[in-house]
Amino acid sequence: MPFDSDSFQSILLLSLRVSGTATLISTLLGVPLGTWLGLSRAKRKWILTSLVHTGMALPPVVVGLLLYVLLSRSGPLGAFGWLFTPRAMIAAQICLALPFVVGITMSAVSAVPEELTVQLRTLGASAAQCRWTILREARQGMLLSIAAAFGRSLSEVGAVLIVGGNIEGHTRVLTTAIVLETSKGNFDFALTLGAALLVVAFAVNAAMVRWCGGRVPA
């Protein structure tokens, strides 16, 4: 099969748009929630923590199946008409990426020494100033959570295949295209798509490391 540059560009751009949007929304929701959990001293915090950890291990096909049921015409969210659209794919990726942002951010914030908060309070810092300072101390962990969320979103295939349908020019992304082209025996195109996937993943992680001043987030 000859290389189709237009098809390749369409697949690549849609992948970036879907995964980028899912990562952005997961970050906006997950960082505040992860920060709150990391700072919380509530007795029943372990329940929420367990739920977050369970979310990090969610099988993608199960997420895709549940969203399919919800978004189908007979489902409670069928009126939105999202099934087999990029919006459904974004929703699936958010379900899978959000627990990573929450969980890793929570761990990063929890790792900041409690003595720092005491010192800040002693110096007269407000609660908001204390939280901001703690976030700055935990920023490498938060960047790691964003990178992990983007990687989870970009590499997802099961859930997006179920709710997106892999429609050419509409919902076909890098991962679903690789599956399709491999099944058709178009290994050259599949390998090209796979290389593009790796390049995008490397570029995002390199940007994160660069942002951290050359240090690997930990």
Side-chain angles (χ1 to χ4, degrees):
M1 176 182 177
F3 179 77
D4 188 341
S5 59
D6 292 337
S7 177
F8 174 78
Q9 183 178 9
S10 174
I11 292 170
L12 178 60
L13 292 178
L14 182 60
S15 297
L16 293 174
R17 179 164 68 90
V18 170
S19 297
T21 302
T23 303
L24 176 61
I25 296 175
S26 297
T27 300
L28 294 176
L29 295 175
V31 168
L33 181 56
T35 302
W36 176 77
L37 284 173
L39 296 175
S40 175
R41 297 295 180 266
K43 292 182 179 179
R44 299 195 180 277
K45 172 185 172 181
W46 66 271
I47 298 177
L48 294 176
T49 301
S50 298
L51 289 174
V52 170
H53 290 169
T54 301
M56 295 172 73
L58 278 176
V61 290
V62 173
V63 172
L65 175 61
L66 292 176
L67 281 177
Y68 185 95
V69 172
L70 292 174
L71 297 174
S72 64
R73 289 186 178 182
S74 58
L77 303 180
F80 288 104
W82 283 11
L83 195 61
F84 303 136
T85 67
R87 290 183 178 181
M89 299 163 68
I90 291 172
Q93 291 188 4
I94 290 173
C95 291
L96 294 168
L98 181 59
F100 281 85
V101 179
V102 176
I104 298 175
T105 299
M106 176 182 64
S107 297
V109 171
S110 299
V112 177
E114 294 186 14
E115 291 78 7
L116 177 61
T117 303
V118 176
Q119 293 175 359
L120 292 171
R121 290 289 192 181
T122 303
L123 294 173
S126 64
Q129 290 173 326
C130 288
R131 285 194 295 269
W132 177 248
T133 302
I134 291 173
L135 285 175
R136 284 181 59 85
E137 290 295 317
R139 65 186 180 278
Q140 291 190 33
M142 285 188 292
L143 288 175
L144 174 61
S145 75
I146 297 171
F150 183 77
R152 173 72 156 164
S153 299
L154 187 67
S155 62
E156 173 47 37
V157 58
V160 298
L161 189 60
I162 293 174
V163 300
N166 198 23
I167 304 171
E168 184 177 3
H170 185 55
T171 60
R172 184 165 297 170
V173 291
L174 286 170
T175 51
T176 58
I178 290 171
V179 173
L180 176 65
E181 298 301 329
T182 301
S183 66
K184 291 163 59 177
N186 298 326
F187 298 111
D188 289 343
F189 194 26
L191 288 171
T192 301
L193 294 169
L197 189 68
L198 292 174
V199 168
V200 171
F202 174 79
V204 170
N205 282 279
M208 290 290 182
V209 173
R210 184 71 174 175
W211 195 5
C212 289
R215 294 174 295 175
V216 178

